[in-house]
């Protein structure tokens, strides 16, 4: 139903040059006002090599007005290697039509093995009133650290610990290039993702120390059919299509 895209970097090990190291965004509805306007809060993290690197989310659709509720703040810094910051944006929308917000630029750090140079992260924000919970959707949440370093000669499972505050089923998958979810999406050959958000790493038996970019989409699916109700009263039924695994 609603998507939130997570980019994370898996470092099989090794050193890096410059300069993007992943991002992640989640959102939740704040308030629906009597006049039908809706406020929604977007939390994001940005990881770069240096804290002086930056990029901004661009909105399309029913964007309303934006307030930077929390200015980009450093969460963690390893001088010259790693700077994680977080920020919070509030958008006040004139009605409850949705919007999309995107981080779309370049470049990731050098020597990424699965051919990723440009970064792109996309969040589709659905704020129509859900018939089952009587309020708009909240995106899936996850506690993943956006960079992991693991030995290249050992198999490993990494559980992303994603959950959904609305009680929806959460599923993970790789981004889809034809849906413009990344640029390009080309998943790492050494890693497979299960819909239950478990990443399985296959040993490479290579001595090289190499980074891979891992571009994932985390989606929430209601466990029953629900109606999505627009401010003007029109409705759309949202089904659960895919099978469970
Ligand atoms: C959302 O829907 C519920 C019931 O379906 C209703 O009680 C509630 O007032 C609606 N909220 C808004 C903001 O329209
Ligand atoms: C990617 O998106 C296209 C267009 O929506 C769709 O036809 C295709 O099945 C998707 N591929 C995967 C692997 O989900
Ligand atoms: C997730 O799915 C994989 C592959 O289907 C399975 O091996 C693993 O045990 C599952 N993990 C959990 C926590 O259910």
């Amino acid at each position: 139903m609603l998507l939130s895209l997570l980019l994370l970097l898996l470092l099989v090990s090794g050193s890096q040059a410059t300069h993007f190291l992943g991002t992640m965004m989640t959102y939740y509805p704040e308030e629906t006002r009597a006049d039908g306007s809706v406020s929604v809060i977007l939390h994001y993290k940005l990881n770069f090599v240096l804290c002086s690197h930056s990029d901004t989310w661009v909105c399309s659709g029913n964007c309303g007005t934006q307030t930077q509720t929390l200015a980009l703040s450093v969460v963690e810094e390893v001088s010259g290697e790693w700077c994680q910051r977080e920020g919070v944006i509030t958008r006040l929308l004139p009605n409850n039509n949705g919007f999309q917000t995107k981080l779309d630029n370049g470049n990731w750090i050098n020597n990424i093995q699965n051919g990723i140079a440009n970064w792109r992260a996309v969040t589709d924000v659905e704020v129509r009133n859900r018939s089952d919970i009587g309020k708009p959707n909240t995106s899936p949440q996850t506690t993943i650290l956006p960079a992991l370093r693991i030995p290249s000669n050992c198999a490993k499972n990494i559980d992303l610990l994603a959950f959904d505050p609305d009680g929806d089923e959460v599923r993970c998958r790789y981004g889809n290039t034809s849906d413009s979810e990344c640029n390009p999406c080309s998943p790492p050959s050494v890693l497979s993702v299960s819909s239950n958000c478990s990443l399985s790493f296959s040993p490479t038996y290579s001595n090289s120390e190499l980074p891979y970019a891992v571009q994932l989409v985390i989606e929430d699916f209601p466990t029953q059919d629900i109606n999505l109700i627009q401010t003007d009263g029109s409705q759309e039924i949202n089904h659960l299509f895919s099978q469970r695994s």
Side-chain angles (χ1 to χ4, degrees):
M1 170 181 164
L2 161 278
L3 333 170
S4 145
L5 184 89
L6 167 83
L7 300 182
L8 78 125
L9 181 78
L10 181 85
L11 292 172
V12 169
S13 77
S15 62
Q16 64 267 16
T18 175
H19 72 254
F20 185 69
L21 286 160
T23 186
M24 189 196 83
M25 177 176 260
T26 60
Y27 74 84
Y28 63 92
E30 184 186 38
E31 189 191 2
T32 303
R33 300 183 183 171
D35 66 359
S37 61
V38 177
S39 55
V40 55
I41 298 180
L42 302 136
H43 281 258
Y44 60 99
K45 287 193 170 160
L46 286 179
N47 300 317
F48 286 100
V49 171
L50 302 176
C51 295
S52 54
H53 296 138
S54 207
D55 192 19
T56 48
W57 293 86
V58 173
C59 182
S60 58
N62 183 39
C63 293
T65 54
Q66 165 175 331
T67 310
Q68 185 81 33
T69 309
L70 172 68
L72 262 187
S73 317
V74 175
V75 177
E76 197 185 352
E77 183 180 5
V78 179
S79 184
E81 275 183 42
W82 166 254
C83 176
Q84 180 175 91
R85 284 168 298 173
E86 65 183 351
V88 180
I89 291 167
T90 303
R91 283 196 170 278
L92 180 61
L93 316 177
N95 56 56
N96 69 355
N97 291 323
F99 62 91
Q100 184 180 77
T101 182
K102 200 188 269 192
L103 198 74
D104 199 2
N105 221 317
N107 283 335
W108 279 79
I109 58 167
N110 294 343
N111 302 318
I112 297 240
Q113 295 305 292
N114 49 330
I116 312 294
N118 296 314
W119 69 73
R120 178 181 295 159
V122 182
T123 305
D124 286 326
V125 181
E126 169 65 70
V127 288
R128 288 176 291 180
N129 195 2
R130 288 177 56 153
S131 58
D132 58 340
I133 56 175
K135 63 184 179 82
N137 189 58
T138 297
S139 74
Q141 311 286 309
T142 180
T143 55
I144 184 68
L145 299 170
L148 287 179
R149 194 171 290 225
I150 58 179
S152 60
N153 61 346
C154 301
K156 187 167 171 63
N157 287 324
I158 302 147
D159 289 320
L160 294 185
L161 302 174
F163 80 102
D164 187 87
D166 302 320
D168 297 334
E169 185 179 331
V170 177
R171 295 200 205 128
C172 292
R173 61 176 174 82
Y174 283 128
N176 182 328
T177 306
S178 36
D179 285 343
S180 301
E181 291 171 337
C182 20
N183 180 27
C185 290
S186 54
S189 54
V190 292
L191 203 63
S192 64
V193 62
S194 302
S195 64
N196 66 9
C197 301
S198 172
L199 290 168
S200 166
F201 173 75
S202 311
T204 61
Y205 304 108
S206 150
N207 290 327
S208 329
E209 299 183 336
L210 302 168
Y212 291 86
V214 183
Q215 302 177 100
L216 291 172
V217 179
I218 302 184
E219 294 169 281
D220 54 353
F221 293 85
T223 55
Q224 57 185 17
D225 283 1
I226 60 170
N227 292 321
L228 294 171
I229 304 148
Q230 262 169 265
T231 309
D232 68 9
S234 61
Q235 304 193 4
E236 177 185 297
I237 296 176
N238 193 281
H239 302 281
L240 176 63
F241 287 115
S242 328
Q243 82 291 353
R244 287 151 192 271
S245 59

